Every structure is written in structure tokens, then in C-alpha cells.
Amino acid sequence: MGRTAQLTTRRATTSLRERAAEVLWANWTGTSTVPSRQLYPHQWSWDSAFIAIGLRHLSPLRAQLELETLLSAQWGDGRVPHIVFNPAVPLDAYFPSPDFWRSTTAGRTAGAPGAIHTSGIVQPPVHALAVWLVHRADPGLSRARSFLARAHPRLAAWHRYLRCRRDAGGAGLASVVHPWEQGMDNSPCWDAPLRRVPPADPSAYRRADLDHSAAEDRPTDLDYGRYVRLAADYRDRGYADGGGDEHAGGVGEFAVEDPSFNALLIASEHALARIEAELGLRGASVVRETRARALTGTLVERLWDPADGLFLCRDLRSGDHRELPSGELVPERGVGGLVPLILPALPAPVAAALVRTACGPHFGLGGPARLVPSYDLTGSAFDPRRYWRGPAWFNTNWLLERGLRLHGEPTRAAGLRRALLEVAGESGFAEYVDPYTGRGCGARGFGWSAALALDLLLDDPAGRDEEPHGRPAEAPSVAVTRKRFRDD
């Protein structure tokens, strides 16, 4: 590359970095970052984890505060709620609002905080991974603030809740009791399980999301009615997951073992093992690392489909679940089935098959798709614009980039990284994009889209392993952006 081309590339990188930092600055509330000021004006659980991963490059202190704010809303039973509501935001700005969830009353038995309003469901457990990466960004600051020591018991309780209270299938995997919990809200993977759920009366609520986004980009009214029904039923049960401490989860009509959710739990178990080692809890670290590897085996045993070369969801309520307590696999190809590529103990033949599937006609990596779509490009339900029914998302592609690098595919990982950065800049850090064209959909200036672009720009690819690493070579230019993030 000539000198002129190098200067052009450097200017473009600096511009993208500054623009991403501006998004995080605009979305910062003082204690956390909203995904979007209009569409999502509160704190979301897995959004904050991904945002902290990018924010650590600008202000490790803010990244720590982001995660601490979220974990401070943890319930007594260990769950980390998927929304922490900002009391300064009007009730009608977002639905379902605090008066729908009624966490302080309906969630009292489950240990919901009395002074903080939250939702009652959860989102994917990316938090221990985020805590570990934020610690690595500035270990001195982290130790001075006892960041890991204070986060550890909350993370351990969170994982215990998922392993015990949500083990509806009895095999050790966590189940989700609502599509919103898995994070990929209207994925076609949920169509069959949701058919059992009667929708709520549409006159009983008003969708605030359509005030800020095109209807063709969002879930349908029928799907939304089913989401509301499931959430209301769970609330009316007092957010109870079951009667005992073991194998208790999933008493409602929706209970699914999802590969992405469980892969992120296992990845966070690995991260929590490293946190425990850093804190001198060697015995606990060994036990947790062993458990993470065992859960990887369980994931393969329960959800791997060798014929599809993909992990599939298991619907625990399919058919007569009293006769089939293990449920049935859902024959739909979603991007969540590729996410287990992030796991270090994944058997090599399984990892190789996942890469082939990602690069094949269903997901188009390195081929017709600029970014990996959320759903099978050849599927009958594919829609390039409608939320999780086809569009590409930055968080799932970020996870796949890490997985490709982890499993010996640096060239494919580098290509995906370049595409992510190009599309992030072109789309204005859109919430999600058309996987073929990169055209932005949903919100613009979206929190994790900006944060993960920053991480791809500023993290050292050679250091994306499990050991601490120093500042990347471009560190001096980080200071330019950091001026806007004063830690005071």
C-alpha cells in the first residue's frame, strides 16, 4: 500500500473512531448507556455488556460503571433483568413500561429490588465476558476499585440462577421462557413454539416502537401480541421459574434451549473462571473451567445437528411435553446456531462444520452477503429488513469474528472485520442492516453497533485470546477520542 493510500486509510479509521465515540457520548446518561435515545430509552442488559466492551477503549471507568449500574439491579434469586428503567423517562416512551412489569410487587417473592423498576425477564449472559475484558483494559484501575471483587458474587449468582432455576430440560442447559430473553426477538426459530401462545388483546396496549421505526422493520402485531401474552403470564405467576432449586425452569407455554444463549453462558463461565483465578480463588476457577467444558459437551449432545452442520433450538414444549420431556429440535437455521463457534472447547470437527455452514448458501459469509444474516438466506421466512428474520446485526457478527479467529480462520475473520467496519460507517451505526446491501434499518446511532466497531478498530487482533494484553499499537490516537470521556 502506497503512502497516500495509507494516509487515506488512517484518516478514515480516525473518522470512524470519532463518529463511534460521538454515538456513545450522545447515548450516555451519567451511569449507563441507552441503546438508542428514542427507540430504547432505558438500560438494556446485553446491550450494556456489548457497549462496555467497546467503551473500555475510551474510558475503562465508564465501562466499569456501565456494568456496575446494571448489576446493581440484580434480583435476589440471581437474575439480571433485561431492562433497568430510568425513572426520568415518561411511561409512554417505551412499552412494556414499568407499570406493565410491576417488578417491585409481582417480583417481590423472587427478590426484585424495591427501589429500582426493572423488567422480569432476562437476556443472554454476556456479562462475565464483558467484566473480564473491561478489567483487562486497565487492570490497575480495576484493582484499585475492587471491580472484579465486587462483580464476582453477582456474576456467580447470575450463572447459578441460569444453571439451576432455568434447567427446564434437566440436562444442564438453560432455557428461555420468552423470545425477548434470547435477544433475537422475532426469529423464525420461534414461530413454531409461539403458535401455542394466544396473543394479547391489541386494545390493551400501545406499541411505542412504531413511533420511531418503520412497521416493515419491526415484529408483526401478531408476534407482538404473543410476546405481551407470555410476559403478562410470567408476571402473573410472580416471575416463578419452578418450585425447587434443581431442574426447575420453564413452567409456562414457552421453554426453549437455545444454542446462542447457552454458548454465551458457557463463554461467560470461562471468563468467570479467569476472574476467579485473578482473585486468587484457584479451586473455584478450576471447578468452573471444568464445568464450562462439560457444558460444551452437553450443548453438542443436545443441540448439534450434523446433517445441517448447525446448532438448532430445542423446543421443550413441543407436542405432549409430558411424553417428550426432552422436546424436539426446531428445523430453522438462525444465526444463533453459529454462535457456539466462540467456545474454545468446541470439538474441531464441529467447528469446521460451522465454518462451512457460515460460508455456504444459507449464511453467505465471504460470498453474496456482506454480513452474516440473522436467518437462513434461502429460508421461506427470510426478510432482509424485518428485525431478526434476516437482517444482519453487529453483535452476532462480532461474535462470529472472534469465533473464526479462535478456531484458526484468521483470513475469514479479517474479511468479516473489514466488512463490519465498512457497513458500520456507511449505515451510521444502524441497529441492523440488509445483509446483502448493508442498508441500515431500525435505529441509527445504535449503542452496540458503535461500541463494537470501536472494539474492532482498537483491540489488538493478536490479543483476542484468553490472556491479558497491552494497549494496541494505535493507542496514541485513542487519546484524541478520550478527551470527550473525562472520568470525573
Side-chain angles (χ1 to χ4, degrees):
M1 183 184 293
R3 181 172 177 80
T4 300
Q6 287 179 334
L7 288 172
T8 300
T9 300
R10 188 174 301 168
R11 289 192 193 101
T13 298
T14 301
S15 172
L16 185 64
R17 179 187 306 122
E18 296 292 343
R19 288 167 56 203
E22 288 291 346
V23 169
L24 296 183
W25 174 258
N27 291 3
W28 177 251
T29 68
T31 55
S32 64
T33 309
V34 297
S36 163
R37 282 286 180 181
Q38 286 76 41
L39 190 54
Y40 307 102
H42 301 284
Q43 184 178 25
W44 261 257
S45 173
W46 75 327
D47 291 75
S48 276
F50 285 121
I51 287 168
I53 288 170
L55 193 54
R56 67 189 170 121
H57 299 291
L58 304 176
S59 169
L61 180 59
R62 277 198 186 184
Q64 291 178 29
L65 184 58
E66 180 85 37
L67 294 165
E68 290 166 348
T69 300
L70 177 69
L71 292 174
S72 70
Q74 185 174 34
W75 289 27
D77 63 4
R79 82 183 72 194
V80 175
H82 98 295
I83 303 175
V84 180
F85 289 103
N86 181 349
V89 174
L91 282 178
D92 63 358
Y94 180 81
F95 179 83
S97 51
D99 58 346
F100 172 88
W101 296 104
R102 305 172 204 159
S103 62
T104 58
T105 54
R108 186 179 296 125
T109 301
I116 302 173
H117 291 282
T118 75
S119 66
I121 60 174
V122 303
Q123 275 188 326
V126 199
H127 311 92
L129 175 61
V131 165
W132 177 243
L133 293 176
V134 168
H135 163 76
R136 282 172 47 180
D138 193 335
L141 175 67
S142 174
R143 292 175 186 130
R145 298 186 68 248
S146 300
F147 175 58
L148 294 185
R150 289 183 292 111
H152 172 260
R154 292 185 176 274
L155 294 170
W158 170 217
H159 289 198
R160 189 181 310 115
Y161 167 79
L162 293 173
R163 293 195 324 268
C164 299
R165 304 295 299 180
R166 288 301 190 88
D167 183 10
L173 298 184
S175 62
V176 295
V177 301
H178 195 291
W180 289 341
E181 292 199 314
Q182 191 265 0
M184 303 178 192
D185 303 11
N186 68 332
S187 168
C189 297
W190 311 134
D191 288 357
L194 280 174
R195 287 192 192 106
R196 295 187 296 271
V197 181
D201 179 357
S203 67
Y205 62 91
R206 188 186 73 84
R207 292 183 60 176
D209 60 317
L210 298 182
D211 294 342
H212 306 288
S213 191
E216 59 267 27
D217 291 355
R218 303 292 298 173
T220 64
D221 286 341
L222 177 60
D223 281 344
Y224 213 90
R226 287 169 167 157
Y227 305 152
V228 173
R229 170 71 68 183
L230 278 174
D233 287 351
Y234 191 39
R235 175 201 65 204
D236 294 345
R237 296 197 306 270
Y239 299 110
D241 294 308
D245 290 334
E246 296 293 332
H247 315 321
V251 297
E253 283 302 307
F254 188 97
V256 176
E257 291 175 350
D258 173 74
S260 176
F261 191 99
N262 280 282
L264 291 169
L265 174 58
I266 295 167
S268 277
E269 282 279 275
H270 283 295
L272 192 50
R274 286 167 178 79
I275 290 169
E276 287 168 338
E278 170 72 18
L279 294 172
L281 305 172
R282 302 292 177 181
S285 176
V286 170
V287 169
R288 197 172 298 276
E289 188 72 29
T290 301
R291 180 192 296 131
R293 292 179 178 276
L295 284 173
T296 301
T298 303
L299 185 72
V300 173
E301 179 183 348
R302 295 276 292 177
L303 305 184
W304 173 246
D305 187 324
D308 277 345
L310 190 69
F311 287 88
L312 303 178
C313 297
R314 183 174 290 276
D315 180 5
L316 298 175
R317 296 292 181 262
S318 58
D320 185 345
H321 58 267
R322 292 165 294 186
E323 298 295 327
L324 292 170
S326 294
E328 298 174 325
L329 293 178
V330 178
E332 295 285 359
R333 299 181 180 93
V335 70
L338 297 173
V339 170
L341 198 61
I342 65 172
L343 299 178
L346 199 65
V350 173
L354 281 178
V355 173
R356 289 194 297 273
T357 299
C359 298
H362 300 295
F363 293 98
L365 175 63
R370 295 185 71 183
L371 296 179
V372 176
S374 52
Y375 177 67
D376 182 1
L377 293 168
T378 70
S380 60
F382 174 78
D383 184 331
R385 291 191 60 179
R386 196 176 289 278
Y387 218 43
W388 288 97
R389 300 184 75 85
W393 289 71
F394 289 91
N395 62 333
T396 52
N397 277 267
W398 179 87
L399 290 166
L400 293 178
E401 191 271 349
R402 291 181 71 87
L404 288 167
R405 206 171 289 280
L406 176 64
H407 288 284
E409 296 284 349
T411 302
R412 287 191 170 103
L416 182 55
R417 174 184 177 273
R418 285 193 299 272
L420 274 164
L421 293 174
E422 289 171 1
V423 173
E426 292 169 9
S427 70
F429 306 103
E431 184 180 1
Y432 46 98
V433 300
D434 183 310
Y436 289 116
T437 67
R439 177 183 177 275
C441 303
R444 301 302 193 274
F446 195 70
W448 75 30
S449 302
L452 296 178
L454 275 173
D455 188 63
L456 290 170
L457 279 170
L458 302 179
D459 197 14
D460 177 9
R464 289 182 205 160
D465 53 22
E466 304 300 342
E467 298 301 323
H469 63 282
R471 287 272 177 221
E474 291 185 313
S477 61
V478 179
V480 175
T481 303
R482 238 186 225 176
K483 289 178 182 178
R484 295 187 178 274
F485 286 80
R486 294 171 297 180
D487 292 333
D488 52 23

